[in-house]
Amino acid sequence: MISMRSFWASLPTEGRWLLSTVAMQTLGRGLTLPFTLIYLHEVRGFDLGLSGSLMALIAVTGLLVTAPAGILTDRYGARVVLLAGISCAIVGHSVLAVATTPGAAAFALVLIGLNFGISWPAFNALIAAVVTGEVRQQYFGVNFALVNLGIGVGGVVGGLVVDVDRPATFTGIYLADAVSQLIPMALLLFPLRHVHGRAQHADGAGPAPREGYLHILRRREVRWLTALTFVVTFVGYGQLEAGVPGFSRQAAEVSTGAIGAAFAVNTAVIVLLQFTVLSRIRGRRRTRVMLVMSATWVLAWLLLGAAGLVDSSAFAVAGLLGFMLVFGIGETMMQPTVPAMNNDLAADHTRGRYNAINAAAFQGGAIAGPIVAGFLLQHHLAAGYVALMVLGCAVIAATALVLERLVSPAVNGVLDPEPVPR
């Protein structure tokens, strides 16, 4: 049984530093994440279409810079690249706090997008450089739980603080988000200044040889893992901020308060169950864990679909809460497995590129998910929307089975695998 005490004891000092402040770092993100569209539209007075387009700049910019970020991570090290991304975040949130024109808001959101695109592959590469072996899978799971804890608490605090009739409250939360980024910057500049995350030759003579993206993507297992990440994100995270709230309001007709409570349930499930799930999946094939996750998500989507079919507000709320609870259980299976498998496929000198490819697939799903959800819900195709999500879960399962035949048992999370007969 994995406990926090045993997990903490197994971490190197650098891993403890990285993990100890995750919740505080993401608290700032939670303060602002649910309220940016409201801020742009209701506080700064931009029309709704323009506000949505401005928000899209974050994802589009992040996607565009992910590939260069992977190259820079492998060439100069994850620490330097992370510091550049954090600097963009600090400036971006500070500018957004006082932005009164679309141009200023666009500049700020592009900087925030630069941070997302730069920091994702660099941070995962830094984790993989610091934490090795079986503990790496556990680390990704615990990190995910702490990220959700920070965002969840930040969202609750932000909801209590902000008021559209008092613009200064929004200025305050964006400045707080900027200040929260000083925590990881201080870690990288002082206690972790020796962890560069840059691969060397075996003899330590210099930088390791580099491989291009085309070379990496020639590996079938990389292509299938990339496809799996895209579909998982499309069905999952690509729906949480747009599709699920839209379906809940249009088809299930639940209140915004109920939607907020449902997201709180989701966060609580992840935080409370992540260690239990980590113990259950330890040593099991990661692809089989993905099969269980896809079945769990099918159940979640059926619960949400049922919420929109029955003419009962109480049943609709129960269906939404059930969806978020069951969906959260699935999330606790996904987050420890996919990043760990991706980093186990990579060599030290290609880790930045592997994480960039995986991040690009995630961002692609996060962009496509809301677009498809918006189209279907706008045309009142709620049943078709749920059916498409269930079909997506089936695609996840099929892709995981293909991937299982392509990766080694060690990459698939099996402990001390039996040697393969020649």
Side-chain angles (χ1 to χ4, degrees), residues 97-255:
V98 295
T100 57
T101 65
F107 174 71
L109 293 167
V110 165
L111 287 175
I112 294 170
L114 283 171
N115 172 56
F116 284 137
I118 291 171
S119 296
W120 191 330
F123 185 68
N124 280 352
L126 189 67
I127 290 174
V130 169
V131 184
T132 59
E134 178 195 352
V135 181
R136 183 183 289 165
Q137 174 171 296
Q138 299 168 12
Y139 189 102
F140 279 116
V142 175
N143 183 76
F144 175 65
L146 292 175
V147 166
N148 274 271
L149 177 62
I151 291 176
V153 173
V156 171
V157 174
L160 295 173
V161 169
V162 296
D163 183 347
V164 294
D165 295 322
R166 293 189 296 148
T169 60
F170 285 86
T171 298
I173 63 170
Y174 284 104
L175 290 177
D177 198 352
V179 170
S180 73
Q181 299 303 315
L182 296 175
I183 297 173
M185 178 172 281
L187 283 178
L188 295 171
L189 288 175
F190 297 106
L192 298 179
R193 60 185 180 276
H194 62 288
V195 183
H196 52 70
R198 182 176 62 253
Q200 301 285 325
H201 281 299
D203 59 4
R210 293 184 290 272
E211 299 173 10
Y213 284 107
L214 290 179
H215 179 86
I216 295 170
L217 287 169
R218 289 192 185 104
R219 298 182 64 180
R220 291 181 63 201
E221 60 269 41
V222 173
R223 296 198 299 270
W224 279 99
L225 182 60
T226 302
L228 177 67
T229 302
F230 175 85
V231 180
V232 164
T233 309
F234 177 85
V235 171
Y237 300 107
Q239 305 305 323
L240 284 185
E241 289 186 32
V244 173
F247 180 94
S248 301
R249 292 290 291 163
Q250 183 193 87
E253 298 181 349
V254 301
S255 67

Side-chain angles (χ1 to χ4, degrees), residues 306-357:
L309 292 176
V310 179
D311 188 17
S312 167
S313 58
F315 187 89
V317 171
L320 175 60
L321 294 175
F323 167 84
M324 282 299 202
L325 188 153
V326 177
F327 188 87
I329 295 173
E331 289 180 86
T332 63
M333 301 179 206
M334 192 279 278
Q335 280 296 336
T337 52
V338 173
M341 181 180 288
N342 182 61
N343 279 280
D344 286 349
L345 280 172
D348 287 342
H349 64 280
T350 57
R351 203 170 303 286
R353 288 172 171 81
Y354 273 78
N355 280 292
I357 291 170

Side-chain angles (χ1 to χ4, degrees), residues 261-285:
F263 275 87
V265 167
N266 179 259
T267 298
V269 166
I270 293 169
V271 172
L272 294 175
L273 294 185
Q274 187 67 78
F275 265 107
T276 300
V277 172
L278 285 171
S279 297
R280 296 284 185 178
I281 68 177
R282 179 178 180 270
R284 300 183 184 274
R285 294 182 184 272

